């Protein structure tokens, strides 16, 4: 859950005055969302002919201040690291890079070395001196040991060391004698740009896009070695490999705040355009886009879903007894929404499992199962571990992600649906969440096409779930970005509501049916960025325990939709009012309820699209409460954007 970056190439006088340290520090700023409790840079000092390392705990600004005191650096090769601590506290010493005993090799590492204790004891017994309790430090000593004890070359030592490591790791190793960099990937992402005898490595494309929109993604068990302007690519067995170039279709301007106070605020307001990007090229009108004939399946007639990278066939759907979704955090809540949509539209049972729990359960997996992995980054370790189990059982796997070339895409034999959300810098997910839901809906509609005409799904009470049904679903999708914009116009009024509640220490979010996962997501957003304790709960379950918490100091936010279960939710609201609780209601109509503290009215849409619209006011409320509290909204304490460790 860290960010790593490296550069090697021309001397500073050929780089508009930049040294390798400048390049690495600037790149670390783009990676700061991945971790921000300490940082460091190791570089080859051309003047003193040796590796120097500068490391500081705290935010990246501390490291930049330290380099400001050092003054100009002449160096054309450097590696850097931004940390989210796992093994060892976030101190200066524990920050990366780590050096070997001789000071000739330095490494930066993202991931976890599971067998580090065994390796560390072995290396200590051979005379190696360890400075930190981190797992990462064993990597550099292991490389050193292969060079000193067995006479291996640097590249060969890196390869052999990689074979000994267990866990998930991406690391860069800098060699002073050769003035070379080796990059290794096994799990977490690693991407590079090779241009004009310069090499750039990073954990994602955000620091690299200013240098080139053509990148190379390393795959698992691959090594890139750069020396003297020449790039060599091998696998862990030493076999030379070739790589294809991927063209990135976003520019660096999308990763700047452009007038907003925080990245999260900017990303909330980007959602109308990002939702449009998610579906605009994937819904194709046929027969003029007319609705279906009487008695036909209106959801499919007149339109076709085009998911360019999906390889699901009708036979896959016909033999599937169920769909299993695995994800973590906000993506897990996306999965709960997609479960509801898919069961409603397709009549196929859907299970949703936490990736972090799945691999330790005795969950029966069949080769007839269809697995869907959901991950914004595509590198969520728990989710990918669950998918590895499914792959081993020959189940079909597809994924929903925002990052081309990420690890999840390599496991998805049935294809990938890219959210087209663009870079999301704020740690708390916003536009990634809503575009995931949109992609899940498109997938459900595609499955419905493959499955053939099915009868309209009904709720347990016998009434239709979809209050806007049939042919109108596509009109509703097309109109969704405009409705999202209408909700954003409520920003100032939601800020006024936030002023009433930002000093509260507890919140309860309640929803029913398809809006229950949105209650969970709303509570998660509030606790992530404001540090206020908040819980999401099914509204109907509130009276089975949580109602004990309700008093005049407990704000309770209800998600209320004008459907067949609205009277049930209104009864829950009355139960809260009777106990003195403050009631906030987000509704798509004007409910006739006396005594509501605050009402946020949003546009109505189809039931299966409603979670997207209900999410946006909850994001705004959490954002404004956090801003009033003065918390670090883009980089909340203890969190990181990409959770690449278990």
């Amino acid at each position: 859950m860290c960010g790593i970056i490296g550069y090697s190439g021309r001397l500073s006088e050929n780089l508009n005055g930049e040294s390798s340290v400048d390049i690495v520090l600037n790149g670390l700023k783009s990676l700061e969302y991945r971790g921000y409790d300490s940082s460091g840079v190791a570089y080859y000092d051309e003047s003193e002919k040796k590796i120097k390392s500068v490391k500081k705990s705290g935010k990246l600004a501390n490291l930049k201040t330290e380099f400001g005191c050092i003054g100009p650096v002449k160096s054309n090769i450097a590696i850097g690291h931004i940390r989210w601590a796992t093994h060892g506290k976030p101190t200066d010493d524990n920050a990366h890079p780590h050096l070997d005993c001789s000071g000739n090799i330095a490494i930066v590492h993202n991931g976890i070395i599971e067998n580090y204790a065994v390796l560390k004891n072995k290396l200590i017994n051979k005379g190696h001196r360890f400075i930190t309790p981190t797992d990462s430090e064993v990597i550099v000593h292991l490389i050193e040991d292969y060079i000193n004890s067995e006479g291996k070359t640097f590249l060969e030592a890196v390869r052999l060391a990689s074979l000994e490591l267990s866990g998930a790791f991406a690391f860069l190793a800098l060699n002073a004698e050769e003035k070379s960099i080796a990059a290794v990937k096994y799990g977490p992402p690693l991407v590079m740009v090779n241009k004009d005898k310069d090499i750039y490595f990073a954990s994602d494309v955000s620091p690299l896009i200013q240098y080139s929109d053509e990148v190379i993604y390393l795959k698992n068990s691959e090594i890139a070695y750069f020396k003297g302007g020449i790039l060599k690519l091998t696998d862990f067995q030493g076999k030379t490999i070739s790589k294809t170039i991927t063209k990135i279709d976003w520019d660096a301007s999308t990763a700047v705040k452009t007038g907003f106070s925080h990245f999260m605020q900017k990303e909330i307001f980007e959602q109308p355009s990002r939702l449009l990007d998610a579906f605009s090229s994937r819904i194709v009108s046929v027969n003029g886009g007319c609705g279906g004939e009487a008695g036909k399946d209106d959801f499919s007639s007149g339109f076709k879903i085009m998911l360019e990278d999906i390889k699901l066939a009708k036979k896959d759907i016909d033999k599937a007894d169920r769909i299993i979704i695995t994800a973590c955090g906000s993506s897990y809540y996306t999965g709960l929404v997609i479960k509801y949509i898919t069961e409603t539209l397709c009549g196929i049972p859907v299970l949703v499992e936490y990736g972090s729990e799945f691999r330790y359960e005795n969950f029966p997996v069949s080769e007839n199962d269809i697995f869907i992995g959901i991950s914004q980054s595509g590198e969520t370790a728990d989710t990918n571990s669950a998918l590895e189990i499914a792959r081993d059982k020959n189940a079909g796997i597809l994924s929903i992600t925002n990052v081309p070339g990420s690890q999840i895409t390599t496991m998805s034999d049935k294809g990938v649906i890219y959210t087209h959300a663009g870079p999301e810098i704020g740690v708390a997910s916003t536009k990634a969440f809503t575009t995931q839901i949109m992609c899940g809906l498109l997938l459900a509609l595609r499955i419905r096409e493959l499955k053939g005409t099915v009868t309209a799904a009904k709720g347990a009470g016998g009434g239709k779930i979809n209050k806007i049904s049939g042919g109108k679903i596509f009109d509703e999708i097309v109109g969704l970005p405009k409705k999202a914009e209408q909700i954003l116009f409520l920003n100032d009024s939601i800020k006024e509501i936030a002023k009433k509640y930002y000093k509260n220490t507890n919140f309860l979010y309640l929803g029913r049916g398809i809006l229950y996962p949105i209650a969970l997501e709303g509570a998660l957003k509030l606790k992530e960025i404001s540090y206020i304790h908040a819980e999401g709960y099914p509204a109907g379950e509130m009276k089975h325990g949580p109602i004990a918490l309700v008093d005049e100091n407990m704000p309770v936010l209800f998600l209320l939709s004008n459907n067949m279960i609205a009277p049930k939710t209104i009864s829950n609201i009355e139960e809260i009012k009777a106990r003195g609780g403050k009631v906030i209601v987000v509704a798509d109509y004007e409910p006739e309820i006396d005594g509501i503290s605050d009402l946020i009215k949003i546009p109505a849409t189809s039931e299966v699209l409603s979670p997207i619209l209900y999410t946006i006011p909850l994001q705004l409320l959490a954002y404004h409460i956090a801003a009033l509290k003065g918390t670090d909204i883009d980089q909340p304490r203890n969190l990181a954007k990409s959770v690449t460790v278990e």
Side-chain angles (χ1 to χ4, degrees):
M1 286 164 59
C2 307
I4 62 177
I5 187 166
Y7 167 79
S8 177
R10 298 164 293 172
L11 292 174
S12 57
E13 55 263 26
N14 297 322
L15 287 169
N16 299 319
E18 281 190 311
S19 75
S20 61
V21 171
D22 297 319
I23 293 170
V24 167
L25 284 174
N26 290 335
L28 288 178
K29 184 62 180 175
S30 299
L31 296 173
E32 199 171 11
Y33 70 93
R34 303 177 66 89
Y36 31 84
D37 57 38
S38 56
S39 56
V41 172
Y43 61 96
Y44 182 80
D45 189 301
E46 290 285 349
S47 301
E48 299 189 26
K49 306 300 182 185
K50 66 177 184 179
I51 290 178
K52 287 188 174 180
S53 177
V54 181
K55 310 192 293 183
K56 293 297 292 183
S57 61
K59 293 293 185 73
L60 181 62
N62 296 348
L63 182 66
K64 289 187 173 181
T65 299
E66 189 74 9
F67 271 106
C69 297
I70 294 173
V73 170
K74 186 176 182 181
S75 172
N76 72 326
I77 182 169
I79 56 176
H81 189 270
I82 195 91
R83 186 173 186 237
W84 187 87
T86 56
H87 296 65
K89 295 180 179 180
T91 63
D92 290 358
D93 286 341
N94 291 339
H96 298 216
H98 297 296
L99 274 66
D100 69 341
C101 297
S102 68
N104 288 322
I105 303 171
I107 66 100
V108 289
H109 166 232
N110 176 25
I112 282 184
I113 307 302
E114 294 177 351
N115 62 336
Y116 84 98
V118 173
L119 294 173
K120 184 173 183 176
N121 287 334
K122 181 181 76 171
L123 291 164
I124 288 173
N125 290 335
K126 297 179 75 171
H128 290 265
R129 303 183 308 278
F130 282 77
I131 297 173
T132 76
T134 67
D135 58 327
S136 304
E137 194 180 355
V138 301
I139 300 171
V140 70
H141 289 285
L142 193 57
I143 295 169
E144 178 189 30
D145 195 68
Y146 272 110
I147 293 173
N148 292 344
S149 299
E150 300 188 21
K152 302 297 184 182
T153 64
F154 174 60
L155 176 57
E156 185 69 359
V158 168
R159 184 184 73 81
L160 293 172
S162 300
L163 289 171
E164 281 207 59
L165 302 175
S166 296
F169 50 89
F171 69 84
L172 302 176
L174 167 60
N175 183 295
E177 291 186 2
E178 295 184 353
K179 295 177 64 176
S180 62
I181 292 181
V184 176
K185 181 192 182 309
Y186 189 81
L190 201 53
V191 61
M192 61 185 179
V193 165
N194 182 28
K195 181 180 180 182
D196 300 330
K197 295 188 177 181
D198 292 340
I199 194 80
Y200 306 83
F201 297 101
S203 292
D204 69 40
V205 299
S206 57
L208 307 182
I209 198 70
Q210 61 183 302
Y211 303 110
S212 176
D213 60 357
E214 295 184 340
V215 303
I216 298 172
Y217 287 94
L218 289 179
K219 295 182 179 179
N220 281 348
S221 303
E222 291 184 347
I223 302 171
Y225 174 71
F226 188 82
K227 176 185 176 183
I230 298 174
L231 175 65
K232 180 178 181 181
L233 299 166
T234 70
D235 61 19
F236 278 14
Q237 305 307 315
K239 181 182 177 182
T240 299
I241 58 175
S242 60
K243 301 294 293 181
T244 58
I245 292 175
T246 300
K247 192 172 182 64
I248 303 300
D249 61 358
W250 58 271
D251 59 63
S253 66
T254 61
V256 296
K257 295 175 187 174
T258 58
F260 289 93
S261 298
H262 300 89
F263 279 111
M264 182 180 179
Q265 183 186 32
K266 173 177 179 281
E267 288 154 8
I268 290 171
F269 277 80
E270 283 180 358
Q271 286 174 113
S273 58
R274 298 288 80 81
L275 289 165
L276 180 63
D277 290 343
F279 73 76
S280 60
S281 64
R282 291 165 167 168
I283 298 177
V284 179
S285 173
V286 295
N287 299 325
C290 301
E293 299 173 12
K296 293 293 184 70
D297 179 20
D298 288 341
F299 280 92
S300 299
S301 299
F303 298 91
K304 186 174 181 61
I305 302 297
M306 301 293 291
L307 297 174
E308 62 276 9
D309 295 313
I310 290 298
K311 303 171 186 175
L312 274 180
K314 187 177 188 305
K315 63 180 180 179
D316 298 316
I317 304 302
D318 290 343
K319 74 176 183 179
D321 297 320
R322 60 186 180 175
I323 293 171
I324 300 159
I325 298 174
T326 183
C328 300
S330 291
S331 294
Y332 176 83
Y333 302 149
T334 298
L336 294 176
V337 174
I338 295 173
K339 166 185 166 68
Y340 189 101
I341 293 171
T342 306
E343 290 178 342
T344 298
L345 297 183
C346 307
I348 299 176
V350 180
L351 302 176
V352 186
E353 297 287 323
Y354 279 111
S356 57
E357 293 293 324
F358 183 87
R359 70 177 302 188
Y360 301 108
E361 297 173 347
N362 296 314
F363 191 98
V365 177
S366 164
E367 63 180 13
N368 293 331
D369 292 332
I370 296 174
F371 270 74
I372 301 174
I374 308 175
S375 169
Q376 186 280 143
S377 66
E379 58 181 278
T380 307
D382 291 319
T383 299
N384 291 344
S385 294
L387 293 179
E388 287 174 358
I389 294 172
R391 182 178 60 184
D392 291 343
K393 298 291 186 179
N394 296 317
I397 297 172
L398 57 85
S399 59
I400 298 173
T401 187
N402 193 32
V403 182
S406 56
Q407 186 180 3
I408 201 171
T409 67
T410 65
M411 295 187 284
S412 303
D413 62 305
K414 296 300 180 183
V416 182
I417 306 177
Y418 293 107
T419 59
H420 301 318
E424 190 178 64
I425 306 302
V427 167
S429 183
T430 52
K431 61 178 180 174
F433 178 75
T434 51
T435 54
Q436 283 174 350
I437 294 175
M438 176 59 73
C439 291
L441 171 61
L442 296 177
L443 177 60
L445 290 168
R446 177 59 182 149
I447 290 173
R448 186 181 177 95
E449 288 178 357
L450 292 169
K451 187 177 173 64
T453 302
V454 296
T455 57
K458 295 186 177 183
K464 286 187 179 180
I465 295 293
N466 297 293
K467 59 186 179 185
I468 300 176
S469 60
K472 285 191 175 181
I473 185 67
F474 291 98
D475 292 336
E476 289 296 317
I477 292 173
V478 171
L480 193 74
K482 186 65 176 178
K483 292 179 179 180
E485 284 184 353
Q486 292 172 18
I487 296 173
L488 293 173
F489 289 143
L490 302 175
N491 180 61
D492 290 344
S493 61
I494 292 174
K495 183 176 181 179
E496 292 303 309
I497 294 172
K499 291 177 180 179
K500 299 180 183 180
Y501 300 104
Y502 77 96
K503 292 183 180 179
N504 285 88
T505 55
N506 296 282
F507 254 86
L508 194 59
Y509 285 67
L510 301 177
R512 302 190 79 128
I514 198 170
L515 296 181
Y516 161 53
I518 305 309
L520 294 171
E521 171 65 10
L524 178 62
K525 281 295 149 289
L526 187 66
K527 67 181 101 175
E528 280 181 319
I529 63 172
S530 75
Y531 315 146
I532 292 174
H533 174 251
E535 294 299 331
Y537 229 75
E541 288 294 302
M542 176 268 301
K543 57 185 175 291
H544 296 292
I547 198 169
L549 300 171
V550 175
D551 60 19
E552 65 277 7
N553 296 315
M554 171 69 83
V556 183
L557 187 148
F558 281 89
L559 303 176
L560 179 62
S561 184
N562 189 18
N563 57 18
M564 70 176 192
I565 55 176
K568 303 291 185 183
T569 306
I570 291 172
S571 295
N572 300 140
I573 292 173
E574 295 295 342
E575 291 162 356
I576 295 297
K577 286 167 50 186
R579 287 155 180 83
K582 297 176 182 178
V583 175
I584 308 167
V585 175
V586 180
D588 58 4
Y589 71 112
E590 294 278 355
E592 295 182 0
I593 311 172
D594 295 328
I596 294 176
S597 301
D598 294 282
L599 172 66
I600 302 172
K601 186 176 180 298
I602 65 173
T605 188
S606 168
E607 191 89 355
V608 293
L609 283 165
S610 63
I612 294 173
L613 295 186
Y614 276 86
T615 295
I616 298 172
L618 304 189
Q619 294 170 346
L620 289 170
L621 182 63
Y623 172 79
H624 287 301
I625 287 176
L628 289 165
K629 287 176 66 68
T631 59
D632 193 339
I633 292 174
D634 284 337
Q635 298 175 352
R637 67 187 182 200
N638 303 330
L639 298 181
K641 184 70 173 174
S642 302
V643 187
T644 60
V645 298
E646 295 183 53

